[in-house]
Amino acid sequence: MTFALHGMAVSAGIAIGRAHLVSHAMLEVSQYQLRERDVVGELIRFDKAVALVAAELDALRTEASAPGAPAELSAFVDVHAMILVDPSLSEAARDLIRARRCNAEWAMVQQMEVLVAQFDEFEDAYLRERKQDVVQVVERVLKALTGKARKLSRRKTALVDDELIVVAHDLSPADTIQFKSLKIGGFITDLGGSTSHTAIVARSLAIPAIVGMQQARRLIQDDDLLIVDGARGVLIVDPDKRVLEEYRLRKTELELERSKRKRLKTARSETLDGQLIELYANIEVPQDAELAKEAGADGIGLYRTEFLFMNRDELPDEDEQFEAYRHVVKVMAGKPVTIRSLDIGADKDARALRNRGSGSSSSDGGSGQTTNPALGLRAIRFCLSEPQLFLRQLRAILRASHFGKTRLLIPMLAHAFEIEQTLSLVELAKLQLRESRHKFDEGMEVGGMIEIPAAALALSPFLRQLDFLSIGTNDLIQYTLAIDRTDRAVAHLYDPQHPAVLRLIAQTIQAGTRAGLPGAVCGEMAGDPKLTKLLIGMGLRQFSMHPAQLLEVKQQVMMADATQLAVRVAKLLKFDEADKISEQLDKL
Ligand code: PEP
Ligand code: MG
């Protein structure tokens, strides 16, 4: 049956593919004790469900081995089939039915918990993550038990054309970054906000994504055919032929538009009245530098190094960090690379840091050590509380600076003394490197992110002590409006166009320009083509965004008149009313 769900559009584009359910959630099943005489019947019911799932997987395997089918799908199916027949799952569940007279669903979930706990013990991160597969196999069996198994014959298209669409209740940034190495067509999550790091990673992957869906994980079944309209935030489940054809056409058109935009790669990023606008790339992992180069970026405006610290039990040592940073610097071949120091905490969790008494809280908000992790010991606050860890990173960044223009960017500064302490540690790192005879750029620039309102409102220490500024609009909006950027419940209040936000951004750009420190914007606003003219009108000349967004923004730059925009935006900034601001914005 066709139905549509609506959520928050966070990464544009259209994906058409099969649902791949990813679960963290504890499965809710009915739990009851069987009468002795019902045990045999329950065992038969259980065996039938397992046989049904085995047949489903067999059918899937045949389709997955067809030429052109995504290789990942075939791998998923094989692993799932192995888990299903493993005695530690089904035999153990059977024992629970026999010995403890648990109903089949309950037995299955209990055994799943035992196995998941065992997987958690694995040293190897890859093996640990395989517990997801156990959960998914158990879910398939549960669906078969409850009679909700989907009929494979309901398929309307050949699997070979389809992409995998990940459907999850929630995905942490650490989960999402792992999809970089897989060919995933789209993302759907029940939770999340538009500038949560999960959404940011989806945009960096340039794949359609919708978050804040509320019920998607519950209503969608594995292998359901889905259309993800990432621009409108609409998900269509089991579409009919006509809708499918329409979306296939639209998808082809979008691909055509994207390939036409590629011609802009070598075009000058210049406004109609001759203002040069520098377009930089945001990256999360070293391999992204190639994408930045391909998109014709003027450099890297934000390298979020915290992703190197995620999904692992041991912290990266100085040499490993140095290799990662040097890779980016070398790929960019002399173009500036802005490396941000560790911005861990809030929704960005690194389990290797979890037990250090830091505020690096888990993304579920529950297992963290503070009530409000976004207001806790995150980013520079954490680094200053762990000087040895911070020095290790500073030395690695400095060593990379020997291989090309490198800049250091400090996140979450609010106090003048935080700038002073940071600069002292940079000097100490330099001293240590001189002693160990490592080469580095003595004049490496150090900049600060303006992402806390206090920093934007009391800018003098930043202008006096730093070499450059970069405005992090994602957090600036979060802290100005008191809206948790990851919380779906308040996502409608997260408003980049709020007059208070716009004024803070404009004031920072203008004060920086007056002081000879022209700032960049590296938050998500910089990559939104609808806001390009607004930011140019505020005086912004450096934008940093995901490589996938760069050419669309360049297209806007080339249609902008900076002189005219300055006048219009000055007028817009005087309004306090949202509707007037929107009206003025449309006129730019
Ligand atoms: C920001 O806050 O705008 C920013 C660029 O940093 P992050 O999104 O990583 O917090
Ligand atoms: Mg930030």
Side-chain angles (χ1 to χ4, degrees), residues 119-268:
F119 273 76
D120 275 335
E121 296 293 310
F122 283 133
E123 289 271 314
D124 184 282
Y126 175 79
L127 284 179
R128 231 179 2 255
E129 290 310 316
R130 300 283 54 80
K131 69 180 176 202
Q132 299 286 5
D133 294 299
V134 175
V135 175
Q136 285 161 19
V137 171
V138 170
E139 287 195 319
R140 274 188 184 273
V141 177
L142 291 176
K143 281 177 199 160
L145 281 168
T146 50
K148 288 187 193 155
R150 67 182 306 283
K151 302 271 183 301
L152 290 170
S153 58
R154 271 175 48 214
R155 295 230 167 114
K156 288 196 166 71
T157 59
L159 191 68
V160 289
D161 292 339
D162 298 336
E163 304 166 295
L164 283 186
I165 294 172
V166 170
V167 181
H169 182 60
D170 192 18
L171 286 173
S172 71
D175 294 329
T176 318
I177 199 81
Q178 299 191 44
F179 291 125
K180 283 220 180 204
S181 55
L182 291 176
K183 195 171 155 279
I184 298 292
F187 279 115
I188 299 294
T189 62
D190 289 341
L191 303 184
S194 66
T195 58
S196 63
H197 285 91
T198 301
I200 289 174
V201 174
R203 275 194 286 276
S204 85
L205 295 168
I207 61 170
I210 310 175
V211 301
M213 274 286 188
Q214 302 195 46
Q215 300 285 347
R217 182 68 184 71
R218 196 174 62 77
L219 297 172
I220 295 169
Q221 299 184 23
D222 255 326
D223 304 324
D224 271 351
L225 183 61
L226 304 177
I227 296 175
V228 183
D229 183 341
R232 293 192 299 147
V234 177
L235 175 77
I236 303 168
V237 184
D238 210 0
D240 65 31
K241 216 167 145 227
R242 190 184 51 79
V243 172
L244 198 59
E245 266 162 26
E246 230 169 75
Y247 268 97
R248 285 205 197 284
L249 195 70
R250 180 78 194 115
K251 188 168 153 60
T252 313
E253 280 169 5
L254 285 177
E255 275 155 15
L256 211 67
E257 279 169 29
R258 192 179 305 158
S259 79
K260 269 194 207 153
R261 263 200 302 274
K262 282 196 184 139
R263 291 191 212 133
L264 291 179
K265 183 187 156 183
T266 50
R268 263 167 88 80

Side-chain angles (χ1 to χ4, degrees), residues 305-306 309 321 340-344 353 356 358-359 376-394 397 408-413 418 421-422 425:
T305 59
E306 50 276 10
F309 292 66
Q321 291 188 57
R340 182 172 72 180
S341 60
L342 187 63
D343 183 1
I344 209 74
L353 288 168
R356 299 171 72 93
S358 77
L377 193 67
R378 58 171 289 206
I380 189 62
R381 304 165 179 187
F382 170 67
C383 287
L384 290 176
S385 73
E386 290 274 350
Q388 291 313 323
L389 181 144
F390 191 28
L391 275 168
R392 208 175 305 141
Q393 183 174 40
L394 292 176
I397 296 172
L408 167 68
L409 179 60
I410 312 295
M412 290 282 295
L413 290 163
E418 289 170 331
Q421 285 176 7
T422 301
L425 285 168

